[in-house]
Amino acid sequence: MNRSAIRFKTVLNYLDNVFIKASHCTDQKEQEILCSFIIIRLHDQWNFRSRQVVLDNYSKSESCMINFLRSNWGRRQMDVGWEPDWHIPSNAIRAARLLDVKCFSDIQNALGSVTKIDEVRWTRNAIVHNVPTSFQKYRTIVRNNYGEVGIEPHKILFHRNPTTGKTIYEDWCQDLVNAISAI
Protein backbone atom coordinates (compact mmCIF):
# COMPACT_ATOMS: atom_id res chain seq x y z
CA MET A 1 0.00 0.00 0.00
CA ASN A 2 1.38 3.42 -0.93
CA ARG A 3 2.08 6.22 1.54
CA SER A 4 -0.99 8.23 0.53
CA ALA A 5 -3.26 5.22 0.99
CA ILE A 6 -1.82 4.47 4.42
CA ARG A 7 -2.37 8.03 5.58
CA PHE A 8 -5.84 8.13 4.05
CA LYS A 9 -6.75 4.92 5.89
CA THR A 10 -5.48 6.44 9.16
CA VAL A 11 -7.83 9.39 8.74
CA LEU A 12 -10.69 7.03 7.86
CA ASN A 13 -10.10 5.05 11.03
CA TYR A 14 -10.54 8.28 12.97
CA LEU A 15 -13.66 9.19 10.95
CA ASP A 16 -15.08 5.71 11.58
CA ASN A 17 -14.98 6.45 15.30
CA VAL A 18 -16.68 9.81 14.75
CA PHE A 19 -19.31 8.02 12.62
CA ILE A 20 -20.01 5.54 15.43
CA LYS A 21 -20.35 8.41 17.90
CA ALA A 22 -22.69 10.26 15.52
CA SER A 23 -24.83 7.16 14.98
CA HIS A 24 -25.44 6.87 18.75
CA CYS A 25 -25.92 10.58 19.30
CA THR A 26 -29.35 11.61 20.60
CA ASP A 27 -28.74 15.36 20.34
CA GLN A 28 -29.71 16.26 16.76
CA LYS A 29 -27.52 19.36 16.59
CA GLU A 30 -24.48 17.44 17.82
CA GLN A 31 -25.20 14.69 15.30
CA GLU A 32 -25.43 17.27 12.51
CA ILE A 33 -22.09 18.75 13.53
CA LEU A 34 -20.39 15.35 13.69
CA CYS A 35 -21.79 14.20 10.35
CA SER A 36 -20.93 17.49 8.67
CA PHE A 37 -17.40 17.18 10.02
CA ILE A 38 -17.11 13.65 8.57
CA ILE A 39 -18.28 14.72 5.13
CA ILE A 40 -16.06 17.80 5.00
CA ARG A 41 -13.01 15.94 6.29
CA LEU A 42 -13.54 13.01 3.89
CA HIS A 43 -13.73 15.40 0.95
CA ASP A 44 -10.70 17.41 2.05
CA GLN A 45 -8.62 14.31 2.70
CA TRP A 46 -9.47 12.89 -0.71
CA ASN A 47 -8.41 16.19 -2.28
CA PHE A 48 -5.14 16.22 -0.35
CA ARG A 49 -4.32 12.55 -0.96
CA SER A 50 -5.06 12.78 -4.70
CA ARG A 51 -2.63 15.68 -4.84
CA GLN A 52 -0.09 13.73 -2.81
CA VAL A 53 -0.26 10.72 -5.15
CA VAL A 54 0.61 12.93 -8.10
CA LEU A 55 3.39 14.70 -6.20
CA ASP A 56 4.87 11.41 -4.94
CA ASN A 57 5.19 10.25 -8.54
CA TYR A 58 6.60 13.53 -9.83
CA SER A 59 10.38 13.72 -9.98
CA LYS A 60 10.66 17.34 -8.86
CA SER A 61 9.62 19.50 -5.90
CA GLU A 62 6.13 20.53 -4.90
CA SER A 63 6.76 24.13 -5.92
CA CYS A 64 8.03 23.00 -9.34
CA MET A 65 4.90 20.88 -9.75
CA ILE A 66 2.52 23.73 -8.92
CA ASN A 67 4.42 26.29 -11.00
CA PHE A 68 4.46 23.94 -13.97
CA LEU A 69 0.72 23.31 -13.67
CA ARG A 70 -0.04 27.03 -13.33
CA SER A 71 1.93 27.67 -16.52
CA ASN A 72 0.54 24.76 -18.53
CA TRP A 73 -3.04 24.18 -17.39
CA GLY A 74 -4.79 26.76 -19.56
CA ARG A 75 -4.09 29.09 -22.42
CA ARG A 76 -2.55 31.60 -20.05
CA GLN A 77 -0.80 31.50 -16.71
CA MET A 78 -3.10 30.65 -13.79
CA ASP A 79 -3.19 32.93 -10.74
CA VAL A 80 -0.68 32.56 -7.91
CA GLY A 81 -3.14 30.82 -5.54
CA TRP A 82 -4.55 28.46 -8.16
CA GLU A 83 -4.28 24.68 -8.06
CA PRO A 84 -6.34 22.06 -9.85
CA ASP A 85 -9.40 20.72 -8.05
CA TRP A 86 -7.52 17.59 -7.03
CA HIS A 87 -10.63 15.88 -5.66
CA ILE A 88 -12.05 15.65 -9.19
CA PRO A 89 -10.39 12.53 -10.63
CA SER A 90 -10.20 13.87 -14.19
CA ASN A 91 -8.30 16.94 -12.92
CA ALA A 92 -5.81 14.88 -10.91
CA ILE A 93 -5.34 12.58 -13.91
CA ARG A 94 -4.84 15.56 -16.23
CA ALA A 95 -2.26 17.03 -13.84
CA ALA A 96 -0.42 13.70 -13.72
CA ARG A 97 -0.42 13.52 -17.53
CA LEU A 98 0.83 17.10 -17.93
CA LEU A 99 3.58 16.45 -15.40
CA ASP A 100 4.51 13.19 -17.13
CA VAL A 101 4.67 11.40 -13.78
CA LYS A 102 5.95 7.89 -13.38
CA CYS A 103 3.18 5.33 -12.85
CA PHE A 104 0.81 7.54 -14.87
CA SER A 105 -1.25 4.58 -16.05
CA ASP A 106 -1.63 3.33 -12.46
CA ILE A 107 -2.81 6.76 -11.35
CA GLN A 108 -5.15 7.05 -14.32
CA ASN A 109 -6.66 3.62 -13.73
CA ALA A 110 -6.99 4.04 -9.97
CA LEU A 111 -8.39 7.56 -9.86
CA GLY A 112 -10.47 6.89 -12.94
CA SER A 113 -12.21 4.06 -11.10
CA VAL A 114 -13.68 6.36 -8.43
CA THR A 115 -17.47 6.44 -8.62
CA LYS A 116 -18.55 8.08 -5.35
CA ILE A 117 -16.58 11.32 -5.16
CA ASP A 118 -19.34 13.36 -6.83
CA GLU A 119 -21.71 12.22 -4.07
CA VAL A 120 -19.20 13.29 -1.43
CA ARG A 121 -18.49 16.53 -3.27
CA TRP A 122 -22.09 17.67 -3.71
CA THR A 123 -23.09 16.59 -0.22
CA ARG A 124 -20.18 18.60 1.15
CA ASN A 125 -21.07 21.58 -1.02
CA ALA A 126 -24.70 21.48 0.17
CA ILE A 127 -23.45 21.61 3.76
CA VAL A 128 -20.68 24.17 3.32
CA HIS A 129 -22.07 26.58 0.75
CA ASN A 130 -25.78 26.42 1.56
CA VAL A 131 -26.83 27.69 -1.88
CA PRO A 132 -29.67 26.40 -4.09
CA THR A 133 -27.39 25.02 -6.82
CA SER A 134 -25.50 22.81 -4.36
CA PHE A 135 -28.71 21.53 -2.79
CA GLN A 136 -30.19 20.78 -6.22
CA LYS A 137 -27.10 18.78 -7.25
CA TYR A 138 -27.17 16.94 -3.91
CA ARG A 139 -30.89 16.12 -4.20
CA THR A 140 -30.48 14.93 -7.80
CA ILE A 141 -27.59 12.60 -6.92
CA VAL A 142 -29.40 11.12 -3.92
CA ARG A 143 -32.60 10.60 -5.90
CA ASN A 144 -30.86 9.13 -8.96
CA ASN A 145 -28.41 6.91 -7.07
CA TYR A 146 -30.56 5.76 -4.15
CA GLY A 147 -34.16 6.65 -4.94
CA GLU A 148 -34.30 8.80 -1.80
CA VAL A 149 -35.85 12.25 -1.43
CA GLY A 150 -35.97 14.76 1.38
CA ILE A 151 -32.85 13.58 3.23
CA GLU A 152 -30.84 16.33 4.87
CA PRO A 153 -27.26 16.25 3.58
CA HIS A 154 -25.68 15.37 6.91
CA LYS A 155 -28.07 12.44 7.40
CA ILE A 156 -27.20 10.68 4.14
CA LEU A 157 -24.28 8.94 5.83
CA PHE A 158 -26.61 6.63 7.76
CA HIS A 159 -28.81 5.59 4.84
CA ARG A 160 -28.18 2.22 3.28
CA ASN A 161 -27.34 1.64 -0.33
CA PRO A 162 -30.00 -0.82 -1.49
CA THR A 163 -27.49 -2.44 -3.84
CA THR A 164 -24.70 -3.12 -1.33
CA GLY A 165 -26.62 -3.11 1.95
CA LYS A 166 -23.90 -0.89 3.44
CA THR A 167 -24.30 2.64 4.70
CA ILE A 168 -23.58 5.41 2.24
CA TYR A 169 -20.63 6.35 4.43
CA GLU A 170 -19.18 2.83 4.16
CA ASP A 171 -19.67 2.81 0.39
CA TRP A 172 -17.95 6.17 0.00
CA CYS A 173 -14.97 5.14 2.11
CA GLN A 174 -14.60 1.77 0.40
CA ASP A 175 -14.67 3.33 -3.07
CA LEU A 176 -12.01 5.90 -2.20
CA VAL A 177 -9.77 3.46 -0.31
CA ASN A 178 -9.92 0.93 -3.13
CA ALA A 179 -8.87 3.58 -5.64
CA ILE A 180 -6.02 5.15 -3.69
CA SER A 181 -4.70 1.74 -2.63
CA ALA A 182 -4.43 0.60 -6.25
CA ILE A 183 -1.66 3.08 -7.07
PDB file of all heavy atoms in Angstrom, residues 106 135 167:
ATOM      1  N   ASP A 106      -1.079   3.783 -13.745  1.00  0.00           N
ATOM      2  CA  ASP A 106      -1.634   3.327 -12.464  1.00  0.00           C
ATOM      3  C   ASP A 106      -2.510   4.415 -11.839  1.00  0.00           C
ATOM      4  O   ASP A 106      -3.598   4.129 -11.323  1.00  0.00           O
ATOM      5  CB  ASP A 106      -0.522   2.949 -11.482  1.00  0.00           C
ATOM      6  CG  ASP A 106       0.252   1.715 -11.912  1.00  0.00           C
ATOM      7  OD1 ASP A 106      -0.278   0.917 -12.717  1.00  0.00           O
ATOM      8  OD2 ASP A 106       1.393   1.544 -11.443  1.00  0.00           O
ATOM      9  N   PHE A 135     -27.636  22.392  -3.286  1.00  0.00           N
ATOM     10  CA  PHE A 135     -28.707  21.527  -2.792  1.00  0.00           C
ATOM     11  C   PHE A 135     -29.378  20.770  -3.942  1.00  0.00           C
ATOM     12  O   PHE A 135     -29.713  19.597  -3.805  1.00  0.00           O
ATOM     13  CB  PHE A 135     -29.750  22.332  -2.013  1.00  0.00           C
ATOM     14  CG  PHE A 135     -29.369  22.553  -0.589  1.00  0.00           C
ATOM     15  CD1 PHE A 135     -28.812  23.742  -0.184  1.00  0.00           C
ATOM     16  CD2 PHE A 135     -29.546  21.544   0.360  1.00  0.00           C
ATOM     17  CE1 PHE A 135     -28.441  23.946   1.128  1.00  0.00           C
ATOM     18  CE2 PHE A 135     -29.182  21.734   1.680  1.00  0.00           C
ATOM     19  CZ  PHE A 135     -28.629  22.943   2.071  1.00  0.00           C
ATOM     20  N   THR A 167     -23.949   1.224   4.602  1.00  0.00           N
ATOM     21  CA  THR A 167     -24.305   2.638   4.702  1.00  0.00           C
ATOM     22  C   THR A 167     -23.618   3.403   3.574  1.00  0.00           C
ATOM     23  O   THR A 167     -22.604   2.951   3.036  1.00  0.00           O
ATOM     24  CB  THR A 167     -23.875   3.241   6.059  1.00  0.00           C
ATOM     25  OG1 THR A 167     -22.444   3.217   6.144  1.00  0.00           O
ATOM     26  CG2 THR A 167     -24.510   2.515   7.234  1.00  0.00           C
TER      27      THR A 167
END
